[in-house]
Amino acid sequence: MADGRLFEDIFDVRQKDPDGRKFDRVSRLICSSENYEMELILDIHIDLYPVDVHDRFTFVLARTLSLTNAPDTGLYDQSKQPSLADKFEYVMHGKVYRCEEDSGPSQRLAVYVSFGGLLMRLRGDARNLQGIDMDSYIYLLMRKV
C-alpha cells in the first residue's frame, strides 16, 4: 500500500469490558474481523471515542501517517499537510513490544502493542501481519462504519 498501511480490516465489537472496567476512562474491546478472521483485544479512551457492543469500525495499522509513505520521524508534524489521520476519527501511536507465534501448523501470530499504556493484541494468520516487527513504532487508526 502506497501510504504505509500494514494491515486493514473491518472489526465488529463482540464484548466490552468482559472483566469489568479497571480504569474510569478506558474500556477493553473484544473484536472480530470481517475479512481475515482476526481477533482483536484493544484498550481505548472511551471518553474520547465512545464505542459499544455491535459497533463496527475500520481498523488500520500503519508505519507512517504520510500519504507518500515517507518515513516517520517520531515528531508531531505541525505543517497541517494532509495525512492518513485525516481520514480517521481515532489515532494512536505505539510500540510493538511482543510477537508470539502459535505452536502447531496453524501459522497464527499474535502482535502486542502498547499505546502509552493502552494495550492491543491482534491475532490471526501470520501472512496478514507481515511487516509488523518487534520494537517497531506503528499507528493505529479507527473510523466507525
Side-chain angles (χ1 to χ4, degrees), residues 110-129:
V111 174
Y112 296 81
V113 183
S114 176
F115 300 97
L118 298 177
L119 303 178
M120 179 200 85
R121 184 191 79 189
L122 180 61
R123 186 169 68 191
D125 192 318
R127 292 175 292 185
N128 297 323
L129 298 172

Side-chain angles (χ1 to χ4, degrees), residues 6-140:
L6 299 167
F7 176 81
E8 181 172 4
D9 203 349
I10 296 173
F11 282 85
D12 180 41
V13 179
R14 292 183 296 144
Q15 296 178 22
K16 180 178 173 182
D17 299 316
D19 299 324
R21 284 180 79 168
K22 308 286 187 221
F23 302 100
D24 290 339
R25 297 182 183 113
V26 177
S27 280
R28 178 157 287 176
L29 306 177
I30 310 296
C31 311
S32 57
S33 74
E34 291 187 0
N35 299 316
Y36 298 116
E37 296 182 18
M38 305 292 280
E39 302 164 3
L40 173 68
I41 298 175
L42 178 65
D43 295 342
I44 66 165
H45 190 300
I46 207 70
D47 287 351
L48 293 177
Y49 196 65
V51 178
D52 291 310
V53 174
H54 304 299
D55 282 355
R56 295 173 61 232
F57 57 88
T58 299
F59 174 89
V60 171
L61 295 176
R63 78 177 90 248
T64 179
L65 294 177
S66 169
L67 295 176
T68 62
N69 203 15
D72 191 80
T73 63
L75 301 173
Y76 177 67
D77 180 10
Q78 299 181 41
S79 68
K80 305 231 186 251
Q81 294 293 318
S83 77
L84 186 59
D86 297 336
K87 302 173 184 177
F88 293 87
E89 302 163 338
Y90 187 73
V91 179
M92 294 192 290
H93 185 251
K95 184 175 183 176
V96 178
Y97 68 90
R98 185 167 63 185
C99 295
E100 290 180 345
E101 291 184 24
D102 288 351
S103 59
S106 65
Q107 296 291 315
R108 292 176 62 83
L109 179 70
V111 174
Y112 296 81
V113 183
S114 176
F115 300 97
L118 298 177
L119 303 178
M120 179 200 85
R121 184 191 79 189
L122 180 61
R123 186 169 68 191
D125 192 318
R127 292 175 292 185
N128 297 323
L129 298 172
Q130 292 178 358
I132 301 174
D133 301 316
M134 183 71 171
D135 293 327
S136 63
Y137 289 93
I138 61 174
Y139 290 92
L140 177 152

